[in-house]
Each structure stands twice: as structure tokens, then as C-alpha cells.
Amino acid sequence: MSKLERITVTMPAEMAAKLRAAVEAGSYATSSEIVREAVRAWVDKEERREAALSTFRAEIEKGLAGPFRDGETVMQELRDHVAKLVREQTHDEAA
């Protein structure tokens, strides 16, 4: 097991009461267990956020590297694509 370190956390009375209630109800052995679970969830969320940001940054770099296309060409391709989707939807509804 890794080395444990004691820290002090200050929180609103209502939050502390919820921790005590969870321990008293037997959902957790100690309030420290609750805090460790919360920190693990926070670490996981931060790691997922960082991974997503890395992906976004890589995609931005790819976009900045080109190739570049003029706006009118892209808009025409979008119009054509939307028109195709509308035709397919109309065809599906008619069937």
C-alpha cells in the first residue's frame, strides 16, 4: 500500500453532516474513505479532460497544417450533402 499522508479539509457543516451520515449508515467505513473516493473520481475526470484536450489540440494542429480549401467550395459541399440527406429522408418517408 502506498504511504498515507494526513491532510485537513475544511467544508460547510451541511457537507460534513452528510459525510457523517453516510458513515453512520454503514455506506462507508470512515469519512476519509468518502473523501478518497471523491478525489479518485476527480482525478479520473481531470485525466479524461486532459486526454480530450490533447485530442482537440492535435486536431487543431492537423487543421492548421492544411490543406486549405476555399469557403465557397466547402459551403457547396455542405449544401449538396444536406440536399442528399433531405432526399434520403423524403425517400424513406415515402416508402
Side-chain angles (χ1 to χ4, degrees):
M1 177 180 246
S2 64
K3 182 180 173 187
L4 298 178
E5 182 177 337
R6 180 181 294 270
I7 63 170
T8 301
V9 177
T10 303
M11 64 181 66
E14 299 84 18
M15 195 177 283
K18 287 183 184 277
L19 290 177
R20 282 190 298 278
V23 172
E24 289 168 7
S27 300
Y28 293 88
T30 66
S31 57
S32 292
E33 186 180 324
I34 300 169
V35 173
R36 283 191 296 271
E37 183 176 308
V39 171
R40 280 191 293 272
W42 172 76
V43 167
D44 182 59
K45 177 183 168 188
E46 288 299 305
E47 288 172 352
R48 285 184 279 118
R49 180 182 165 277
E50 275 303 315
L53 284 174
S54 293
T55 300
F56 293 148
R57 287 183 185 113
E59 290 299 312
I60 289 169
E61 288 300 318
K62 283 186 349 189
L64 291 174
F68 300 102
R69 300 166 59 202
D70 70 278
E72 190 49 47
T73 301
V74 172
M75 289 304 295
Q76 188 57 53
E77 289 173 359
L78 285 171
R79 286 185 205 100
D80 293 345
H81 180 69
V82 169
K84 178 183 173 203
L85 292 175
V86 169
R87 283 193 305 275
E88 289 172 357
Q89 181 68 29
T90 303
H91 180 277
D92 289 347
E93 289 175 356

